């Protein structure tokens, strides 16, 4: 069995403020250490549970967050930087996916660092008419490839959200949100134990066939509402898009991944 770990930053243990998730801020280097630490914990727990090979994708921002020279030997392949129109490069070699350090969708009340793709430009996404965040989008993309999401980690809000889209997914709650920029954090030792326990449970469940897909009707319609006016793409640049109003447009695709990249 091979596992793909897609790692975001906002839901990683120890992360709670804007300065930690923004590259030009003073606490970003601290957050990079926290992310790499949690990737290592997750990867080592996977290997302890019998996983043969582990792919890790740095999925935060421009994909320059993890510290490559501090990765555990348990990580076999680290995927960083731009990968064209493949959100999950190397996925064909893997059997299941862990979404590590995820966050709740934009607009979720009192959720830590909530947003969908970009807090600066995106107000909401809808997939086939259903309001959706990054957990749901990734689950839908992976369903098209028949690769189940078996575990999600982050704050309590994203764990609840994950269960809405994937009822059988295993969640690891490593902090409890108080506000967009505040949370009750577990200690490093407790968060480590929480991740390790969830990994073991998720892999055992996978072997028993206990996981959920998130299928979508085709063709796929993906709609985006922008934060501010005048943020819509130029019609000439995206002649296939349909403008809904001054801040909202939508595209279609044969797969969820195709629709996301067209958006």
């Amino acid at each position: 069995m091979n596992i793909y770990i897609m790692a975001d930053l906002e839901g990683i243990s120890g992360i709670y403020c804007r300065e930690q998730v923004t590259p030009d801020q003073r606490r970003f280097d601290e957050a990079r250490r926290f992310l790499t630490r949690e990737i290592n914990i997750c990867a080592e727990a996977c290997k302890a549970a019998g996983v043969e090979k582990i792919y890790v994708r740095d999925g935060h921002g421009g994909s320059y967050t993890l510290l490559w020279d501090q990765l555990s030997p348990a990580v076999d392949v680290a995927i960083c930087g731009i990968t064209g129109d493949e959100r999950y490069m190397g996925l064909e070699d893997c059997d299941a996916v862990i979404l590590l350090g995820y966050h709740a969708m934009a607009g979720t009340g009192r959720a830590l660092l909530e947003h969908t793709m970009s807090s600066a430009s995106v107000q909401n996404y809808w997939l086939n008419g259903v309001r959706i965040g990054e957990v749901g989008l990734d689950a839908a993309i992976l369903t098209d490839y028949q690769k189940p999401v078996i575990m999600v980690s982050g704050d309590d809000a994203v764990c609840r959200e994950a269960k809405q889209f994937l009822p059988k997914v295993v969640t690891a709650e490593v902090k409890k949100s108080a506000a967009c920029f505040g949370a009750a954090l577990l200690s490093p030792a407790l968060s480590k134990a929480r991740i390790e326990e969830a990994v073991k449970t998720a892999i055992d469940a996978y072997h028993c066939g206990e996981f959920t897909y998130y299928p979508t009707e085709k063709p796929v319609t993906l709609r985006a509402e922008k934060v501010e006016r005048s943020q819509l793409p130029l019609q000439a640049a995206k002649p296939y898009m349909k403008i809904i109003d001054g801040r909202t447009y939508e595209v279609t695709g044969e797969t969820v991944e195709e629709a996301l990249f067209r958006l």
Side-chain angles (χ1 to χ4, degrees):
M1 179 187 188
N2 297 341
I3 290 286
Y4 201 111
I5 301 172
M6 175 67 96
D8 206 350
L9 184 58
E10 287 84 359
I12 293 295
S13 301
I15 303 297
Y16 67 92
C17 66
R18 189 195 306 273
E19 289 76 16
Q20 292 173 302
V21 298
T22 309
D24 60 353
Q25 297 296 310
R26 61 185 177 86
R27 297 188 66 181
F28 187 63
D29 285 345
E30 169 191 67
R32 296 183 72 192
R33 289 191 289 105
F34 292 170
L35 172 70
T36 308
R37 167 190 176 272
E38 199 138 293
I39 287 171
N40 290 342
I41 289 168
C42 186
E44 289 165 8
C46 286
K47 286 291 177 74
V51 172
E52 295 178 16
K53 193 171 184 179
I54 295 170
Y55 284 70
V56 169
R57 173 77 164 113
D58 178 354
H60 179 71
S63 187
Y64 40 62
T65 309
L66 71 81
L67 298 169
W68 173 82
D69 64 339
Q70 294 182 26
L71 284 174
S72 166
V75 175
D76 296 283
V77 180
I79 300 162
C80 305
I82 297 169
T83 56
D85 58 2
E86 285 186 280
R87 183 159 171 81
Y88 284 85
M89 180 182 178
L91 181 65
E92 65 277 4
D93 292 334
C94 298
D95 300 290
V97 178
I98 291 173
L99 304 181
L100 189 73
Y102 270 54
H103 52 81
M105 73 175 74
T108 304
R110 295 185 64 181
L112 183 67
L113 297 163
E114 48 84 1
H115 66 280
T116 300
M117 293 300 181
S118 170
S119 59
S121 64
V122 176
Q123 187 75 14
N124 284 298
Y125 273 6
W126 291 268
L127 179 62
N128 287 351
V130 177
R131 186 165 162 264
I132 202 164
E134 291 171 37
V135 169
L137 276 170
D138 277 332
I141 289 170
L142 292 162
T143 295
D144 286 344
Y145 288 99
Q146 291 295 288
K147 308 290 185 179
V149 175
I150 60 172
M151 178 185 144
V152 176
S153 77
D155 70 353
D156 55 321
V158 79
C159 290
R160 289 193 300 271
E161 183 178 314
K163 288 287 190 180
Q164 292 174 2
F165 290 94
L166 301 166
K168 293 183 180 180
V169 76
V170 175
T171 58
E173 182 185 312
V174 299
K175 51 195 168 185
K176 193 172 293 292
S177 292
C180 189
F181 303 117
L185 309 175
L186 293 182
S187 70
L190 287 176
S191 65
K192 178 176 183 290
R194 189 75 56 94
I195 294 288
E196 290 171 338
E197 179 183 6
V199 167
K200 184 180 185 306
T201 302
I203 291 173
D204 287 346
Y206 172 82
H207 288 307
C208 293
E210 296 177 2
F211 51 80
T212 314
Y213 286 116
Y214 185 60
T216 51
E217 291 187 9
K218 306 297 189 300
V220 173
T221 299
L222 190 58
R223 178 178 291 194
E225 178 189 15
K226 307 298 279 185
V227 171
E228 297 180 7
R229 62 186 183 277
S230 78
Q231 288 188 333
L232 293 184
L234 294 174
Q235 185 77 66
K238 294 182 184 289
Y240 48 79
M241 76 176 183
K242 178 181 178 182
I243 295 175
I244 307 302
D245 59 34
R247 299 188 185 188
T248 311
Y249 70 105
E250 67 182 30
V251 299
T252 60
E254 293 304 312
T255 65
V256 181
E257 187 174 48
E258 181 183 63
L260 179 61
F261 281 102
R262 295 187 92 194
L263 198 69

